[in-house]
């Protein structure tokens, strides 16, 4: 019922052949993990995996046709993890049963991402879509037919085109209000700047968002001075956003301060805001930062605004089993 086959990875993209006998267990498998091996070419009809609920492929060499054929035979699959696999240029995930899907692209010896397009379509049960290493791609992601999607991340500059439904988010900036993803409650974003206009565009798209995680990469040329227009309200800021976590806060950069300040002053139901500070600082510096952020004027009087020194540059993902896999306090 459970099978794991993993080889010590050799140099480059060379993988050990997978024992053909492994597929003999297809009818009974419930959980399978394959690592650093080469899948045989699965000719039609592909083997069926009628009981398989968890599938992990890590650094596996497999053709697109074989992978899609294999997935089509997984009629009970709930959890799918595809990590840096070789031979896939375009990946299409379509399943009536998958609830959790994580993906990270493969880079060849020249550092080029081999998978350029990820299509997630007709996945009515999908609740979590985790994108590892999204700063390198895939360049295009299309999400259609995922009405139960609650967690989405990591979105970053490596994704040049994100299409939820029929809306195009070009560089995650231009957002059409005609397509709204109502169920998304947790969003993780890697933002250069950080770009407040881009984040506000996403907030308008994910109207019921409750938790926002932002990795900041400060740049000098960003202008994050933005006044909130009460005549053009953002629904999640007014009614739903309860937690904001900001990584790489540089209190010496005005645009970073303005970015954090926007949420302090405009998130009406905010309960907690965690700000990871990259500067070496003392209590006097922290008090000065709280003043610059206008914490005393916060929109939500119940909000706890915490600044703390944090050397970690990104969020650690704690797996599918956690209610919020990016929440350090739950681990």
């Amino acid at each position: 019922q459970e099978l794991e086959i993993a080889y010590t990875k050799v140099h480059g993209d060379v993988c050990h052949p997978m024992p053909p006998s492994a597929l003999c267990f297809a009818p009974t498998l419930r959980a399978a993990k394959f690592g650093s091996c080469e899948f045989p070419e699965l000719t039609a009809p592909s083997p069926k995996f009628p009981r398989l609920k968890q599938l992990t492929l890590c650094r596996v060499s497999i053709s697109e046709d074989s992978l899609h054929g294999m997935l089509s035979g997984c009629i009970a699959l709930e959890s799918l993890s595809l990590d840096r696999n070789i031979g896939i240029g375009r990946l299409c995930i379509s399943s009536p049963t998958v609830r959790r899907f994580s993906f990270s692209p493969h880079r060849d010896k020249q550092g080029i991402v081999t998978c350029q397009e990820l299509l997630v379509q007709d996945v009515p049960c999908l609740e979590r879509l985790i994108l590892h290493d999204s700063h390198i791609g895939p360049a295009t992601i299309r999400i259609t037919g995922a009405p139960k999607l609650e967690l989405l991340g990591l979105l970053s500059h490596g994704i040049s085109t994100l299409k939820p439904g029929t809306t195009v988010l070009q560089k995650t900036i231009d957002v059409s209000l005609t397509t709204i993803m109502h169920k998304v409650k947790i969003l993780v974003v890697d933002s250069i700047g950080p770009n407040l206009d881009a984040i506000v565009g996403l907030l308008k798209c994910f109207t019921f968002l409750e938790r926002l995680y932002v990795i900041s990469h400060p740049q000098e040329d960003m202008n994050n001075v933005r006044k909130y227009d009460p005549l053009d309200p953002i629904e999640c800021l007014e009614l739903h956003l309860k937690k904001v976590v900001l990584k790489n806060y540089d209190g010496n950069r005005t645009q970073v301060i303005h970015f954090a300040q926007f949420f302090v002053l405009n998130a009406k139901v905010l309960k907690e805001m965690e700000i990871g500070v990259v500067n070496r600082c003392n209590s006097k510096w922290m008090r000065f930062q709280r003043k610059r952020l206008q914490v005393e004027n916060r929109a939500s009087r119940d909000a706890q605004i915490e600044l703390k020194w944090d050397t970690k540059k990104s969020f650690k993902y704690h797996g599918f089993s956690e209610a919020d896999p990016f929440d350090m306090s739950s681990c």
Side-chain angles (χ1 to χ4, degrees):
Q1 295 186 12
E2 297 184 14
L3 176 64
E4 179 173 351
I5 296 178
Y7 294 91
T8 302
K9 189 175 184 297
V10 295
H11 296 292
D13 294 339
V14 179
C15 295
H16 296 278
M18 187 185 74
S21 57
L23 296 178
C24 295
F25 300 102
T28 59
L29 282 178
R30 295 182 182 272
K33 182 176 182 179
F34 301 98
S36 298
C37 60
E38 181 179 358
F39 255 71
E41 192 67 29
L42 302 179
T43 56
S46 299
K48 302 295 182 182
F49 298 82
R51 294 179 174 84
L52 190 64
K53 292 190 174 184
Q54 299 178 30
L55 175 62
T56 299
L57 302 181
C58 179
R59 298 184 183 274
V60 164
S61 177
I62 185 171
S63 69
E64 289 182 30
D65 290 341
S66 292
L67 176 59
H68 292 144
M70 180 182 182
L71 294 178
S72 67
C74 299
I75 58 176
L77 193 63
E78 295 181 359
S79 179
L80 174 63
S81 179
L82 301 177
D83 182 13
R84 293 165 290 173
N85 296 300
I86 304 164
I88 304 167
R90 181 179 184 272
L91 177 60
C92 179
I93 303 298
S94 179
S95 168
T97 58
V98 167
R99 296 172 53 202
R100 301 172 295 271
F101 172 48
S102 69
F103 175 77
S104 58
H106 168 261
R107 284 196 287 187
D108 61 19
K109 294 179 181 179
Q110 287 74 40
I112 299 173
V113 178
T114 54
C115 183
Q116 289 296 308
E117 183 177 14
L118 171 61
L119 176 59
V120 181
Q121 65 176 8
D122 299 327
V123 278
C125 295
L126 186 66
E127 298 171 358
R128 298 185 173 192
L129 175 55
I130 306 294
L131 305 169
H132 302 283
D133 300 327
S134 63
H135 61 282
I136 63 173
T140 300
I141 296 178
R142 291 181 174 88
I143 306 171
T144 59
K148 293 185 178 181
L149 187 63
E150 293 186 354
L151 186 154
L152 176 60
L154 174 76
L155 302 184
S156 78
H157 60 279
I159 305 169
S160 60
T161 305
L162 170 65
K163 297 184 179 180
T166 58
T167 299
V168 178
L169 308 186
Q170 192 68 31
K171 299 185 184 298
T172 66
I173 293 177
D174 300 326
V175 182
S176 167
L177 296 181
T178 59
T179 298
I180 306 297
M181 301 190 76
H182 289 287
K183 292 288 187 177
V184 174
K185 296 178 180 178
I186 303 173
L187 179 66
V188 189
V189 182
D190 190 316
S191 179
I192 292 178
N195 190 329
L196 182 58
D197 287 338
I199 300 300
V200 168
L202 289 173
L203 295 181
K204 290 181 178 180
C205 187
F206 304 110
T207 54
F208 281 74
L209 193 68
E210 295 181 1
R211 297 187 173 207
L212 174 66
Y213 295 85
V214 180
I215 303 172
S216 171
H217 298 280
Q219 287 188 341
E220 295 290 350
D221 58 349
M222 291 305 303
N223 179 13
N224 284 329
V225 179
R226 182 184 181 117
K227 290 187 177 181
Y228 186 62
D229 184 1
L231 299 179
D232 184 24
I234 301 173
E235 185 172 343
C236 70
L237 288 179
E238 297 285 333
L239 301 172
H240 306 291
L241 189 64
K242 297 180 176 65
K243 182 172 182 175
V244 175
V245 182
L246 178 61
K247 285 277 188 185
N248 301 338
Y249 177 86
D250 186 345
N252 296 324
R253 295 176 181 264
T254 304
Q255 72 272 22
V256 176
I257 296 171
H258 287 160
F259 182 89
Q261 189 185 81
F262 178 83
F263 293 96
V264 173
L265 299 179
N266 297 301
K268 304 291 179 56
V269 297
L270 191 67
K271 295 295 184 184
E272 55 183 315
M273 184 170 181
E274 300 175 7
I275 302 176
V277 178
V278 296
N279 313 82
R280 285 281 188 177
C281 49
N282 53 31
S283 57
K284 181 179 179 180
W285 188 91
M286 288 292 197
R287 287 194 299 271
F288 178 64
Q289 286 299 312
R290 292 177 67 87
K291 183 177 180 180
R292 297 191 73 181
L293 290 171
Q294 300 186 37
V295 170
E296 294 304 318
N297 298 326
R298 60 192 182 276
S300 171
R301 304 311 300 173
D302 297 331
Q304 299 295 316
I305 314 294
E306 180 184 12
L307 291 91
K308 58 184 178 181
W309 187 51
D310 186 5
T311 58
K312 297 181 177 65
K313 300 298 183 182
S314 61
F315 297 109
K316 186 175 181 181
Y317 171 68
H318 295 283
F320 283 137
S321 61
E322 300 290 340
D324 181 351
F326 296 96
D327 185 2
M328 290 295 295
S329 62
S330 67
C331 302

